[in-house]
Amino acid sequence: HELHGRDGHRFSPYCWRAIMALKHKGLDFERAPMKFTDRSAIAPSGQDRVPVLVDGERWINDSWAIAEYLEDTYPDVPSLFGGAMGRAQAKFFNKWVDMSVHARLRALVVPDTFKHAHPDDSDWFRESRENMFSMKLEDIRGDVDGLKAELHATLPPLRATLETQPYLCGESPAYADYIFFGSPMWQR
């Protein structure tokens, strides 16, 4: 289950992480779109956030928990982490992207996300994000150049790594690559 907006836009960076993990594992899956304001499809999970993976009778929410579940449940298909050390490093990277990259990206992307939100979600999205930022949606961006500079200041370690290898995880992608992949997909 994943968020969708106007014209089928799929923008959640966390949903993209789960989608890429499923693709990496080579597992067949069905994407189930939902709106911010209609969470009835995921009610059985006891959660109100996506992504939510349904695997048989199991309901797993949260992109990190989904990645761990896939790794543990389907060990005979390509690994997302390459072992315990890779899992621990990906966990750190997951937190770093959420706390450093997304913290700076959020103010740049939220106003555009509103433009692509499903029409049924417009009022809810505006109210929830204005409460989150304690300001009107139109004022969230503020100093765009300053926000972009802060965001770009967090990225040199990624750039330096990708100058010496094709993926963050080395010669082929793994879950840390998908963690970051969700961020530009949110912007897109």
Side-chain angles (χ1 to χ4, degrees):
H1 296 274
E2 65 177 314
L3 288 172
H4 80 99
R6 184 182 313 273
D7 302 322
H9 279 86
R10 310 271 173 104
F11 44 80
S12 168
Y14 306 103
C15 292
W16 279 108
R17 292 174 185 180
I19 289 165
M20 295 306 293
L22 286 159
K23 288 181 176 283
H24 181 95
K25 287 285 197 181
L27 300 170
D28 291 330
F29 64 97
E30 181 180 326
R31 294 170 74 172
M34 58 174 267
K35 297 181 281 187
F36 280 108
T37 54
D38 182 8
R39 298 167 193 227
S40 59
I42 63 170
S45 73
Q47 302 298 318
D48 65 350
R49 293 183 178 187
V50 291
V52 172
L53 173 70
V54 181
D55 188 19
E57 299 297 315
R58 297 281 318 261
W59 291 69
I60 304 94
N61 75 298
D62 182 78
S63 56
W64 179 257
I66 290 169
E68 288 194 303
Y69 171 81
L70 293 173
E71 187 75 352
D72 296 340
T73 306
Y74 299 98
D76 296 332
V77 292
S79 175
L80 289 168
F81 304 117
M85 186 183 301
R87 184 184 296 223
Q89 290 171 337
K91 186 174 186 177
F92 164 80
F93 189 69
N94 191 69
K95 294 289 185 191
W96 179 81
V97 169
D98 289 351
M99 296 172 79
S100 296
V101 176
H102 285 186
R104 288 158 178 86
L105 189 58
R106 191 172 288 114
L108 291 167
V109 176
V110 163
D112 288 332
T113 304
F114 174 73
K115 293 175 189 173
H116 295 286
H118 193 281
D120 295 347
D121 292 335
S122 293
D123 292 341
W124 179 90
F125 189 89
R126 174 178 287 282
E127 182 180 332
S128 68
R129 295 326 183 246
E130 287 179 351
N131 286 338
M132 178 188 295
F133 285 93
S134 299
M135 64 179 69
K136 295 190 70 52
L137 194 59
E138 292 76 15
D139 299 331
I140 290 172
R141 279 201 178 113
D143 176 16
V144 173
D145 291 336
L147 289 169
K148 286 181 180 178
E150 284 182 33
L151 175 62
H152 288 282
T154 66
L155 301 179
L158 284 123
R159 289 190 182 109
T161 301
L162 294 172
E163 286 175 3
T164 63
Q165 58 195 45
Y167 298 96
L168 295 172
C169 292
E171 292 301 313
S172 59
Y175 194 65
D177 293 282
Y178 309 140
I179 290 167
F180 188 75
F181 175 81
S183 303
M185 292 302 287
W186 185 19
Q187 289 177 290
R188 184 182 69 88

